[in-house]
Structure formats: structure tokens, C-alpha cells
Coordinates of all heavy atoms in Angstrom, one line a residue:
Q1 N 99.6 81.8 103.7 CA 99.0 82.3 104.9 C 97.5 81.7 105.0 O 96.8 81.8 104.0 CB 98.9 83.8 104.9 CG 98.9 84.5 106.2 CD 99.0 86.0 106.1 OE1 98.6 86.6 105.1 NE2 99.5 86.6 107.2
S2 N 97.2 81.2 106.1 CA 95.9 80.6 106.3 C 94.8 81.7 106.4 O 95.2 82.9 106.7 CB 95.8 79.7 107.6 OG 95.9 80.5 108.7
A3 N 93.6 81.4 106.3 CA 92.5 82.4 106.5 C 92.5 83.0 107.9 O 92.3 84.2 108.0 CB 91.1 81.7 106.2
A4 N 92.8 82.2 108.9 CA 92.9 82.7 110.3 C 94.0 83.7 110.4 O 93.9 84.7 111.0 CB 93.1 81.5 111.2
D5 N 95.2 83.4 109.8 CA 96.3 84.3 109.9 C 96.1 85.6 109.1 O 96.4 86.7 109.5 CB 97.6 83.6 109.3 CG 98.2 82.7 110.3 OD1 98.1 83.0 111.6 OD2 98.7 81.6 109.9
A6 N 95.4 85.5 107.9 CA 95.1 86.6 107.2 C 94.1 87.5 107.9 O 94.3 88.8 108.0 CB 94.4 86.2 105.8
A7 N 93.1 86.9 108.6 CA 92.2 87.7 109.4 C 92.9 88.4 110.6 O 92.6 89.5 110.9 CB 91.1 86.8 109.9
L8 N 93.8 87.7 111.2 CA 94.6 88.2 112.3 C 95.4 89.4 111.9 O 95.5 90.5 112.5 CB 95.4 87.1 113.0 CG 96.1 87.5 114.3 CD1 95.1 88.0 115.3 CD2 97.0 86.4 114.8
S9 N 96.1 89.2 110.8 CA 96.9 90.3 110.2 C 96.1 91.6 109.9 O 96.5 92.7 110.2 CB 97.6 89.9 108.9 OG 98.6 88.9 109.1
S10 N 94.9 91.3 109.4 CA 94.0 92.4 109.1 C 93.5 93.1 110.4 O 93.5 94.4 110.4 CB 92.7 91.8 108.3 OG 91.8 92.9 108.0
K11 N 93.2 92.4 111.4 CA 92.8 93.0 112.7 C 94.0 93.8 113.3 O 93.7 94.9 113.8 CB 92.5 91.9 113.7 CG 91.1 91.4 113.6 CD 90.6 90.7 114.8 CE 91.0 89.3 114.9 NZ 90.4 88.6 116.1
V12 N 95.2 93.3 113.2 CA 96.4 94.1 113.7 C 96.6 95.3 112.9 O 96.8 96.4 113.4 CB 97.6 93.2 113.7 CG1 98.9 94.0 114.1 CG2 97.5 92.0 114.7
E13 N 96.5 95.2 111.5 CA 96.6 96.4 110.7 C 95.6 97.5 111.0 O 95.9 98.6 111.1 CB 96.5 96.0 109.2 CG 97.7 95.3 108.7 CD 97.5 94.7 107.3 OE1 96.4 94.7 106.7 OE2 98.5 94.1 106.8
S14 N 94.3 97.0 111.2 CA 93.3 98.0 111.5 C 93.6 98.7 112.9 O 93.4 99.9 113.0 CB 91.9 97.3 111.6 OG 91.6 96.8 110.4
A15 N 94.0 97.9 113.9 CA 94.3 98.5 115.2 C 95.5 99.5 115.1 O 95.5 100.6 115.7 CB 94.7 97.4 116.2
L16 N 96.5 99.2 114.3 CA 97.6 100.1 114.1 C 97.2 101.4 113.4 O 97.6 102.5 113.8 CB 98.7 99.4 113.3 CG 99.5 98.3 114.0 CD1 100.4 97.6 113.0 CD2 100.2 98.8 115.2
K17 N 96.3 101.3 112.4 CA 95.8 102.4 111.7 C 94.9 103.3 112.6 O 94.8 104.5 112.4 CB 95.0 102.0 110.4 CG 95.9 101.5 109.3 CD 95.1 101.3 108.1 CE 96.0 100.8 106.9 NZ 95.9 99.4 106.6
A18 N 94.2 102.7 113.6 CA 93.3 103.4 114.4 C 94.1 104.1 115.5 O 93.5 105.0 116.2 CB 92.3 102.4 115.1
E19 N 95.4 103.9 115.7 CA 96.1 104.5 116.8 C 96.7 105.9 116.3 O 97.5 105.9 115.4 CB 97.3 103.6 117.2 CG 98.2 104.1 118.3 CD 97.4 104.4 119.5 OE1 96.8 103.5 120.1 OE2 97.5 105.6 120.0
P20 N 96.1 107.0 116.8 CA 96.5 108.3 116.2 C 98.0 108.6 116.2 O 98.5 109.2 115.3 CB 95.8 109.3 117.2 CG 94.7 108.5 117.8 CD 95.2 107.1 117.9
D21 N 98.7 108.1 117.3 CA 100.2 108.4 117.4 C 101.0 107.7 116.3 O 102.1 108.0 116.0 CB 100.7 107.9 118.7 CG 100.2 108.8 119.8 OD1 99.8 110.0 119.5 OD2 100.2 108.4 121.0
L22 N 100.4 106.6 115.7 CA 101.1 105.8 114.7 C 100.8 106.3 113.2 O 101.3 105.7 112.3 CB 100.8 104.4 114.8 CG 101.3 103.7 116.1 CD1 100.8 102.3 116.2 CD2 102.8 103.8 116.2
H23 N 100.0 107.4 113.1 CA 99.8 107.9 111.7 C 101.1 108.3 111.1 O 101.9 109.0 111.8 CB 98.8 109.0 111.8 CG 97.4 108.6 111.9 ND1 96.6 108.3 110.8 CD2 96.6 108.3 113.0 CE1 95.4 107.9 111.2 NE2 95.4 107.9 112.5
G24 N 101.3 108.0 109.9 CA 102.5 108.4 109.2 C 103.6 107.4 109.3 O 104.7 107.5 108.7
T25 N 103.4 106.3 110.1 CA 104.4 105.2 110.1 C 104.0 104.2 109.1 O 102.8 104.0 108.8 CB 104.5 104.5 111.5 OG1 103.2 104.1 111.8 CG2 105.0 105.5 112.5
S26 N 105.0 103.6 108.4 CA 104.6 102.5 107.5 C 105.0 101.2 108.1 O 106.2 100.8 108.2 CB 105.4 102.8 106.1 OG 106.8 102.7 106.3
I27 N 104.0 100.4 108.5 CA 104.2 99.2 109.2 C 103.5 98.1 108.4 O 102.3 98.2 108.2 CB 103.8 99.2 110.7 CG1 104.6 100.3 111.4 CG2 103.9 97.9 111.3 CD1 104.1 100.6 112.8
A28 N 104.2 97.0 108.1 CA 103.6 95.9 107.4 C 103.4 94.8 108.5 O 104.2 94.6 109.4 CB 104.5 95.4 106.3
V29 N 102.3 94.0 108.3 CA 102.0 93.0 109.3 C 101.9 91.6 108.6 O 101.3 91.5 107.6 CB 100.6 93.3 110.0 CG1 100.3 92.2 111.0 CG2 100.6 94.7 110.6
R30 N 102.6 90.7 109.2 CA 102.5 89.3 108.7 C 102.2 88.4 109.9 O 102.8 88.6 111.0 CB 103.8 88.9 108.0 CG 103.7 87.7 107.1 CD 105.0 87.5 106.3 NE 106.1 87.1 107.2 CZ 107.2 87.9 107.4 NH1 107.4 89.0 106.7 NH2 108.2 87.5 108.2
S31 N 101.4 87.4 109.7 CA 101.0 86.5 110.8 C 101.2 85.1 110.4 O 100.9 84.7 109.3 CB 99.5 86.8 111.1 OG 99.1 85.9 112.1
D32 N 101.7 84.3 111.3 CA 101.9 82.8 111.1 C 101.5 82.1 112.3 O 102.3 82.1 113.3 CB 103.3 82.6 110.6 CG 103.5 81.1 110.3 OD1 102.6 80.4 109.9 OD2 104.7 80.7 110.4
E33 N 100.4 81.5 112.4 CA 99.9 80.7 113.5 C 99.9 81.5 114.8 O 100.4 81.1 115.9 CB 100.7 79.4 113.7 CG 100.5 78.5 112.5 CD 101.3 77.2 112.7 OE1 101.8 76.9 113.8 OE2 101.3 76.4 111.7
G34 N 99.5 82.8 114.7 CA 99.4 83.6 115.9 C 100.6 84.4 116.2 O 100.6 85.2 117.1
V35 N 101.7 84.1 115.5 CA 103.0 84.9 115.7 C 102.9 86.0 114.6 O 102.9 85.8 113.4 CB 104.2 84.0 115.5 CG1 105.5 84.9 115.6 CG2 104.2 82.9 116.5
V36 N 102.9 87.3 115.1 CA 102.8 88.4 114.2 C 104.2 89.1 114.1 O 104.9 89.3 115.1 CB 101.8 89.5 114.8 CG1 101.8 90.8 114.0 CG2 100.4 88.9 114.8
T37 N 104.6 89.3 112.8 CA 105.8 90.0 112.5 C 105.5 91.4 112.0 O 104.7 91.5 111.1 CB 106.7 89.2 111.5 OG1 106.9 87.9 112.0 CG2 108.0 89.9 111.3
L38 N 106.1 92.4 112.6 CA 105.9 93.8 112.2 C 107.2 94.2 111.5 O 108.3 94.1 112.1 CB 105.7 94.7 113.4 CG 104.5 94.3 114.3 CD1 104.4 95.3 115.5 CD2 103.2 94.4 113.5
T39 N 107.1 94.8 110.3 CA 108.2 95.3 109.6 C 107.9 96.7 109.1 O 106.7 97.1 109.0 CB 108.6 94.4 108.4 OG1 107.5 94.2 107.5 CG2 109.1 93.1 108.8
G40 N 108.9 97.5 108.8 CA 108.6 98.8 108.3 C 109.5 99.8 109.0 O 110.6 99.4 109.5
S41 N 109.1 101.0 109.2 CA 109.9 102.0 109.9 C 109.0 102.9 110.8 O 107.9 103.1 110.5 CB 110.7 102.8 108.9 OG 109.8 103.6 108.1
A42 N 109.7 103.4 111.9 CA 109.0 104.3 112.8 C 110.0 105.4 113.1 O 111.2 105.2 113.0 CB 108.6 103.6 114.1
K43 N 109.4 106.6 113.5 CA 110.3 107.7 113.7 C 111.1 107.7 115.0 O 112.2 108.2 115.1 CB 109.4 109.0 113.8 CG 108.9 109.4 112.4 CD 108.0 110.7 112.5 CE 106.6 110.3 112.9 NZ 105.5 111.1 112.5
D44 N 110.6 107.0 116.0 CA 111.4 106.9 117.3 C 111.1 105.6 118.0 O 110.1 104.9 117.7 CB 111.1 108.1 118.1 CG 109.6 108.3 118.5 OD1 109.1 107.3 119.0 OD2 109.1 109.4 118.4
P45 N 111.9 105.2 119.0 CA 111.7 104.0 119.7 C 110.4 103.8 120.4 O 109.8 102.7 120.5 CB 112.9 104.0 120.7 CG 113.9 104.9 120.2 CD 113.1 106.0 119.4
Q46 N 109.8 105.0 120.9 CA 108.5 104.9 121.5 C 107.4 104.4 120.6 O 106.6 103.6 120.9 CB 108.1 106.2 122.1 CG 108.9 106.6 123.3 CD 110.2 107.3 123.0 OE1 110.5 107.5 121.8 NE2 111.0 107.6 124.0
L47 N 107.4 104.9 119.3 CA 106.4 104.5 118.3 C 106.6 103.0 118.0 O 105.7 102.3 117.7 CB 106.5 105.4 117.1 CG 106.1 106.8 117.3 CD1 106.2 107.6 116.0 CD2 104.6 106.9 117.8
R48 N 107.9 102.6 117.9 CA 108.2 101.2 117.6 C 107.6 100.3 118.6 O 107.0 99.3 118.4 CB 109.7 101.1 117.5 CG 110.2 99.7 117.1 CD 111.8 99.8 117.1 NE 112.3 98.5 116.6 CZ 112.6 97.5 117.4 NH1 112.4 97.6 118.7 NH2 113.0 96.4 116.9
S49 N 107.8 100.7 119.9 CA 107.3 99.9 121.0 C 105.8 99.9 121.1 O 105.1 98.9 121.3 CB 107.8 100.4 122.4 OG 109.2 100.3 122.4
M50 N 105.2 101.1 120.8 CA 103.8 101.2 120.8 C 103.1 100.3 119.7 O 102.1 99.7 120.0 CB 103.3 102.7 120.5 CG 101.8 102.9 120.5 SD 101.4 104.5 120.0 CE 102.0 105.5 121.4
A51 N 103.7 100.2 118.6 CA 103.2 99.3 117.5 C 103.2 97.9 118.0 O 102.2 97.2 117.8 CB 104.0 99.4 116.3
A52 N 104.2 97.4 118.7 CA 104.3 96.1 119.2 C 103.2 95.9 120.3 O 102.5 94.8 120.3 CB 105.6 95.8 119.8
E53 N 103.0 96.9 121.2 CA 102.0 96.8 122.2 C 100.6 96.7 121.6 O 99.8 95.9 122.1 CB 102.1 98.0 123.2 CG 103.3 97.9 124.1 CD 103.5 99.2 124.8 OE1 102.5 99.9 125.1 OE2 104.7 99.5 125.2
V54 N 100.3 97.5 120.6 CA 99.0 97.5 120.0 C 98.8 96.1 119.3 O 97.7 95.5 119.5 CB 98.9 98.6 118.9 CG1 97.7 98.4 118.0 CG2 98.9 99.9 119.5
A55 N 99.8 95.6 118.7 CA 99.7 94.2 118.0 C 99.4 93.2 119.1 O 98.5 92.3 118.9 CB 100.9 93.9 117.2
L56 N 100.1 93.2 120.2 CA 100.0 92.2 121.3 C 98.6 92.3 121.9 O 98.2 91.3 122.5 CB 101.1 92.4 122.3 CG 101.5 91.2 123.1 CD1 101.8 90.0 122.3 CD2 102.7 91.5 124.0
S57 N 98.0 93.4 121.9 CA 96.7 93.6 122.5 C 95.6 92.9 121.8 O 94.4 92.8 122.3 CB 96.4 95.1 122.8 OG 96.0 95.7 121.5
I58 N 95.8 92.5 120.5 CA 94.8 91.9 119.7 C 94.6 90.5 120.1 O 95.5 89.7 120.2 CB 95.2 92.0 118.2 CG1 95.4 93.5 117.8 CG2 94.1 91.4 117.3 CD1 94.2 94.4 118.0
D59 N 93.3 90.1 120.3 CA 93.0 88.7 120.6 C 93.4 87.8 119.6 O 93.2 88.0 118.4 CB 91.4 88.7 120.8 CG 91.0 87.4 121.6 OD1 91.8 87.0 122.4 OD2 89.9 86.9 121.3
G60 N 94.2 86.7 120.0 CA 94.6 85.8 119.0 C 96.1 85.9 118.7 O 96.8 85.0 118.2
V61 N 96.7 87.0 119.1 CA 98.2 87.2 118.9 C 98.9 86.6 120.1 O 98.7 86.9 121.2 CB 98.5 88.7 118.8 CG1 100.0 88.9 118.7 CG2 97.9 89.3 117.6
K62 N 99.8 85.6 119.7 CA 100.5 84.9 120.8 C 101.9 85.5 121.0 O 102.4 85.5 122.2 CB 100.8 83.4 120.3 CG 99.5 82.6 120.1 CD 99.8 81.3 119.6 CE 98.5 80.5 119.2 NZ 98.8 79.4 118.3
L63 N 102.5 86.1 120.0 CA 103.8 86.6 120.1 C 104.0 87.7 119.0 O 103.4 87.5 117.9 CB 104.8 85.5 119.9 CG 106.3 85.9 119.9 CD1 106.8 86.2 121.3 CD2 107.2 84.7 119.3
V64 N 104.7 88.7 119.3 CA 105.0 89.8 118.3 C 106.5 89.8 118.1 O 107.3 89.9 119.0 CB 104.5 91.2 118.8 CG1 105.0 92.2 117.8 CG2 103.0 91.2 118.9
R65 N 106.9 89.7 116.8 CA 108.3 89.9 116.4 C 108.4 91.3 115.9 O 107.9 91.6 114.8 CB 108.7 88.9 115.4 CG 108.8 87.5 115.9 CD 109.6 86.6 114.9 NE 109.8 85.3 115.5 CZ 109.3 84.2 115.0 NH1 108.6 84.2 113.9 NH2 109.5 83.0 115.6
N66 N 109.1 92.1 116.6 CA 109.1 93.6 116.2 C 110.4 93.8 115.4 O 111.5 93.9 115.9 CB 109.1 94.5 117.4 CG 108.9 95.9 117.1 OD1 109.0 96.3 116.0 ND2 108.5 96.7 118.1
E67 N 110.2 93.8 114.1 CA 111.4 94.1 113.2 C 111.3 95.4 112.5 O 111.8 95.7 111.5 CB 111.4 93.0 112.1 CG 111.6 91.6 112.7 CD 111.6 90.5 111.7 OE1 111.5 90.8 110.5 OE2 111.7 89.3 112.1
I68 N 110.6 96.3 113.2 CA 110.5 97.7 112.7 C 111.8 98.4 112.9 O 112.4 98.5 114.0 CB 109.3 98.5 113.5 CG1 108.0 97.8 113.3 CG2 109.3 99.9 113.1 CD1 106.9 98.3 114.1
A69 N 112.2 99.0 111.8 CA 113.5 99.8 111.9 C 113.2 101.2 112.3 O 112.1 101.7 112.1 CB 114.1 99.8 110.5
L70 N 114.2 101.9 112.9 CA 114.0 103.3 113.2 C 114.4 104.1 112.0 O 115.5 103.9 111.4 CB 114.9 103.7 114.4 CG 114.5 103.1 115.7 CD1 115.4 103.5 116.8 CD2 113.0 103.5 116.1
A71 N 113.5 105.0 111.6 CA 113.8 105.9 110.4 C 114.9 106.8 110.8 O 114.9 107.4 111.9 CB 112.5 106.6 110.0
Q72 N 115.8 107.0 109.9 CA 116.9 108.0 110.2 C 116.4 109.4 110.0 O 115.7 109.8 109.1 CB 118.1 107.7 109.1 CG 118.7 106.4 109.2 CD 119.3 106.1 110.6 OE1 120.0 106.9 111.1 NE2 119.0 104.9 111.1
A73 N 116.7 110.2 111.0 CA 116.4 111.6 110.9 C 117.2 112.3 109.9 O 118.4 112.0 109.8 CB 116.6 112.3 112.3
T74 N 116.6 113.2 109.1 CA 117.4 113.8 108.0 C 117.6 115.3 108.4 O 116.8 115.9 109.1 CB 116.6 113.7 106.7 OG1 115.3 114.2 106.8 CG2 116.7 112.3 106.2

């Protein structure tokens, strides 16, 4: 991962952590030349979509690959 990609991943992670609705979700961020891949799990489809929207709102993100799985309700 280049320094620019590492910085972009860090910005996306910070934005996700700053979003109150996403507290409690475990989302990992990987970036490759402006393409951000989100992995992990979310409680419902709305939170999954919100994570992608937050990532896409970050300056420098060209595309978001949303690979977040929906957590199974127990």
C-alpha cells in the first residue's frame, strides 16, 4: 500500500468512526489507487449502505467496493 493509499484508508476509517450510527460496526478499510474496499459486518442494510456513502464522500476516493456482510441476528 502506498503512502497515499494508507492516508486515504486512514481518512475513511476516521470518517466511519465519527459517524454515530456506525458505532458498534466492525469495518475494515483497504485502499488501492483511490479504490476503497470495505469489509466487515453491519447490523442491517441501511448501515452497510451508510458506510459506503461515508467512504465515497471522502476526497480522493474514486470508487467504493462494499464487501460488508450483514451480521446474522441471533
Side-chain angles (χ1 to χ4, degrees):
Q1 207 177 25
S2 73
D5 283 324
L8 187 58
S9 292
S10 181
K11 279 201 276 188
V12 172
E13 285 170 358
S14 295
L16 291 172
K17 285 187 178 104
E19 182 57 57
D21 291 336
L22 293 174
H23 281 269
T25 57
S26 63
I27 299 171
V29 179
R30 198 172 64 245
S31 177
D32 183 25
E33 296 182 11
V35 177
V36 172
T37 303
L38 303 177
T39 55
S41 64
K43 287 180 275 210
D44 61 51
Q46 287 85 3
L47 293 177
R48 182 180 184 271
S49 296
M50 181 186 291
E53 287 171 26
V54 168
L56 201 52
S57 73
I58 302 302
D59 197 32
V61 174
K62 298 174 189 165
L63 177 73
V64 174
R65 288 196 175 118
N66 192 344
E67 297 178 4
I68 298 170
L70 291 178
Q72 297 300 314
T74 52

